[in-house]
Amino acid sequence: MLQSLASSPCVRLIQTHRSTWCLVVLVLGYLLYLLFGAVVFSSVELPYEDQLRQELRALKQQLLRDSACLSEQRLELFLARALEASSYGVSVLNNASSNWNWDFTSALFFSSTVLSTTGYGHTAPLSDGGKAFCIIYSVIGIPFTLLFLTAMVQRIMVYTTWRPIAYVHHRWGVAKPLVALVHAALLSVLAACGFFLIPAAIFSALEDNWNFLESFYFCFISLSTIGLGDYVPGEASNQKYRELYKVAITVYLVLGLLVMLVVLETFCELQQLKQLRKMFYLKKEKPEDRLAILERDHLSFTTVLTRNAAENHKGPFYDRFVGVSVLAPLGGQDDPMIQ
């Protein structure tokens, strides 16, 4: 029964196009994951949004009742302008008027978020010249940043991944896949402690309105380059040493992004993940034309050797050499033409 089932057309079709079916399952799983995220976010955040809308309506109506000389149209115009300025990082609040968004350290922080594609969105160019320069700066800077990160990650992995794994493998004879898996787990734990947990504790201490969860949320959103912009450090009016703080955050983001790429690259090189990725990749077609050319060249080469051996006898050593060449299997690993 199992043999008849294995020989059925449907099973043969699935086995023939296995990577395609795996890709279909992957696409369906990804779509379901998107829908799952939409359902959860909508069910969790929608009540809070509705409550906030009701509070804003109540405050607006209370302001209009208390200010008889203020019309609803003028209030709407003022709020629209204030919200537009707030989207560019300019606040109308008195306690935020002392912070400038385009001093040198803030501009340096903005440049790092642009080149790393984090893009918090709390600050954006106001002028047409600034917007045009941002386009040109990003077109050149983002590929330059990718080149810089790739070169740095490749050199860092020599000392953090490849050499430690090779040392343990040769020193204690442990299988390389097992060593790589344990190493990746330890590296991820160290990265989580050094660039998520400890910085989150520091941010929660330096930022007055942030708790540990909000600080950890900022670290994750930043180093994953999601950059929602709802939490940006150093924007409080009473922030001490704001310039130095902004520079330190910029250094943290660059170093953290490097560490995250090293961790991801380490996981991508795991043998287990490579086997998983092969399930969704198309198999490489064998270069049949090239193999046919090599086989014909090999046959011509052995034919010439055999003919020369028959015409000019060179001794027993030459006979053994010709015999090995003629009897070598075509396409084998010992074939010098194939190698």
Side-chain angles (χ1 to χ4, degrees):
M1 181 178 179
L2 293 177
Q3 293 180 353
S4 61
L5 181 63
S7 60
S8 62
C10 295
V11 174
R12 288 201 304 270
L13 180 63
I14 293 175
Q15 291 178 348
T16 305
H17 304 281
R18 181 183 177 185
S19 62
T20 303
W21 288 109
C22 290
L23 181 62
V24 171
V25 173
L26 180 65
V27 172
L28 292 177
Y30 186 74
L31 292 177
L32 290 176
Y33 195 71
L34 286 176
L35 296 176
F36 170 73
V39 170
V40 173
F41 283 125
S42 178
S43 60
V44 171
E45 296 296 331
L46 191 59
Y48 287 92
E49 181 186 0
D50 183 62
Q51 180 182 357
L52 183 59
R53 287 175 180 272
Q54 293 178 7
E55 291 178 359
L56 289 176
R57 291 194 190 100
L59 289 174
K60 178 182 174 183
Q61 295 300 325
Q62 183 66 32
L63 179 62
L64 290 175
R65 286 194 299 267
D66 295 341
S67 304
C69 61
L70 181 62
S71 64
E72 185 174 359
Q73 291 77 13
R74 293 178 62 186
L75 179 61
E76 291 283 347
L77 181 62
F78 170 75
L79 292 177
R81 184 58 178 167
L83 290 175
E84 181 183 1
S86 179
S87 65
Y88 286 99
V90 179
S91 177
V92 297
L93 301 177
N94 290 329
N95 57 1
S97 59
S98 59
N99 292 339
W100 291 88
N101 294 316
W102 292 105
D103 56 354
F104 178 76
T105 54
S106 299
L108 178 64
F109 179 70
F110 172 78
S111 300
S112 67
T113 60
V114 169
L115 296 185
S116 63
T117 67
T118 303
Y120 290 113
H122 72 293
T123 303
L126 299 174
S127 63
D128 293 339
K131 295 174 182 178
F133 176 75
C134 185
I135 295 174
I136 300 173
Y137 185 72
S138 302
V139 167
I140 300 174
I142 292 177
F144 186 33
T145 303
L146 294 177
L147 177 62
F148 162 73
L149 293 175
T150 303
M152 292 297 296
V153 167
Q154 192 271 340
R155 282 160 175 77
I156 292 173
M157 288 191 65
V158 172
Y159 301 98
T160 61
T161 301
W162 298 330
R163 286 188 179 179
I165 292 176
Y167 175 79
V168 174
H169 172 65
H170 292 294
R171 182 69 173 81
W172 287 288
V174 186
K176 260 190 176 181
L178 179 60
V179 177
L181 184 61
V182 175
H183 172 269
L186 292 176
L187 189 63
S188 61
V189 170
L190 292 177
C193 293
F195 288 88
F196 288 98
L197 296 177
I198 296 177
I202 295 175
F203 282 126
S204 62
L206 296 178
E207 298 290 335
D208 296 335
N209 300 323
W210 291 14
N211 55 31
F212 182 81
L213 176 61
E214 292 170 336
S215 302
F216 188 89
Y217 169 80
F218 163 75
C219 295
F220 177 80
I221 293 298
S222 299
L223 297 186
S224 60
T225 67
I226 298 174
L228 296 179
D230 47 351
Y231 288 91
V232 180
E235 298 300 317
S237 58
N238 58 347
Q239 183 67 57
K240 297 180 179 180
Y241 308 106
R242 184 173 182 268
E243 291 77 11
L244 182 61
Y245 189 36
K246 285 286 187 180
V247 173
I249 296 171
T250 303
V251 174
Y252 162 73
L253 291 177
V254 175
L255 292 179
L257 187 57
L258 278 173
V259 171
M260 291 301 102
L261 290 176
V262 169
V263 173
L264 289 176
E265 186 67 21
T266 301
F267 273 95
C268 287
E269 290 192 357
L270 290 177
Q271 193 66 30
Q272 294 83 351
L273 288 183
K274 287 182 179 180
Q275 295 296 331
L276 180 63
R277 292 199 303 268
K278 286 182 180 179
M279 294 174 57
F280 309 102
Y281 291 169
L282 289 174
K283 293 183 178 180
K284 294 183 179 180
E285 297 182 358
K286 295 181 179 180
E288 297 179 356
D289 296 337
R290 182 171 179 272
L291 288 177
I293 293 174
L294 289 174
E295 289 178 359
R296 287 196 296 269
D297 292 342
H298 180 82
L299 289 174
S300 301
F301 177 72
T302 54
T303 303
V304 170
L305 287 178
T306 307
R307 186 180 303 164
N308 291 337
E311 294 176 356
N312 301 317
H313 185 70
K314 300 294 184 179
F317 177 80
Y318 188 84
D319 291 337
R320 286 196 297 270
F321 173 76
V322 174
V324 171
S325 300
V326 174
L327 297 176
L330 295 178
Q333 295 181 353
D334 296 330
D335 186 357
M337 296 298 295
I338 297 297
Q339 292 177 355

